[in-house]
Amino acid sequence: GPYIDEIGGNVAVSTGFKATTELIVGTNITASGNISASGDLEFRDRKLSKTSTTDADHQGDVVFFGSTTSMDAGKIYHYNSSGNWELSNATDNTKSTGLLAVALGAASDTNGMLLKGMVTLDHDPGAVGDKLFLRAADGLALSSTPGSTGNVIRVIGYCLDASNGQIYFNPSNDHIVHT
């Protein structure tokens, strides 16, 4: 039947092993497949590292819904009232004030949409440490606030690299409209 064994300092768990109360591990757990839980999954730290220079490389919270295709990986999208993703744009409050995410590929339901975390955009939005805002152009971020009357000003994250599009994406729930 299912078993757990220590081999050379590593713990091996057979297929079908089930812990009925708690499984306490003092070091690391490495999995080559999925880890799932039917109850709460508790952990002390969540380690996120700066992403690579590849567009849409990511670590963080990802969702798979919206039935949207033909998306540009590494661009910023807005979830609209029709239940689809559209390119964000600070010039239009219907494309900038709701749920935002970064496309991780051409299809939202297959490749996913990053809601929060580390990600590499398909463009360079600013210098290291810059606060980032939605840009008055489809799907882009910028380190300066959009300056025209009616533009939505919303912090969406922070720049981690000056030339590779790497950012910490964490859109604010708040925004103001430029007057």
Side-chain angles (χ1 to χ4, degrees):
Y3 66 91
I4 190 165
D5 193 13
E6 181 180 355
I7 304 168
N10 295 319
V11 175
V13 179
S14 71
T15 302
F17 175 80
K18 181 178 181 181
T20 56
T21 57
E22 286 186 9
L23 176 62
I24 300 172
V25 178
T27 59
N28 297 326
I29 295 177
T30 302
S32 60
N34 294 327
I35 296 176
S36 63
S38 60
D40 293 339
L41 185 59
E42 297 179 25
F43 50 92
R44 186 177 58 114
D45 294 318
R46 181 173 180 192
K47 182 179 178 181
L48 299 176
S49 301
K50 188 170 150 182
T51 53
S52 75
T53 59
T54 303
D55 293 353
D57 186 22
H58 66 282
Q59 296 177 35
D61 299 336
V62 178
V63 296
F64 297 85
F65 61 79
S67 301
T68 308
T69 57
S70 300
M71 302 176 81
D72 294 324
K75 286 227 183 324
I76 303 165
Y77 284 78
H78 171 263
Y79 190 63
N80 65 29
S81 60
S82 298
N84 304 111
W85 296 98
E86 61 190 347
L87 286 165
S88 64
N89 193 313
T91 63
D92 185 343
N93 67 357
T94 68
K95 296 180 179 182
S96 56
T97 59
L99 182 63
L100 297 177
V102 176
L104 302 177
S108 61
D109 293 13
T110 304
N111 306 110
M113 302 295 292
L114 181 99
L115 296 178
K116 178 181 175 184
M118 304 297 195
V119 67
T120 304
L121 299 178
D122 70 345
H123 60 284
D124 300 322
V128 175
D130 282 351
K131 188 181 299 183
L132 300 175
F133 303 87
L134 280 182
R135 189 169 171 181
D138 286 348
L140 303 179
L142 190 63
S143 60
S144 59
T145 60
S148 297
T149 300
N151 287 172
V152 172
I153 299 171
R154 182 176 181 185
V155 175
I156 61 155
Y158 299 88
C159 193
L160 303 176
D161 190 282
S163 61
N164 295 313
Q166 297 152 310
I167 71 166
Y168 173 57
F169 187 73
N170 186 16
S172 172
N173 289 325
D174 301 316
H175 69 277
I176 60 172
V177 177
H178 191 282
T179 55

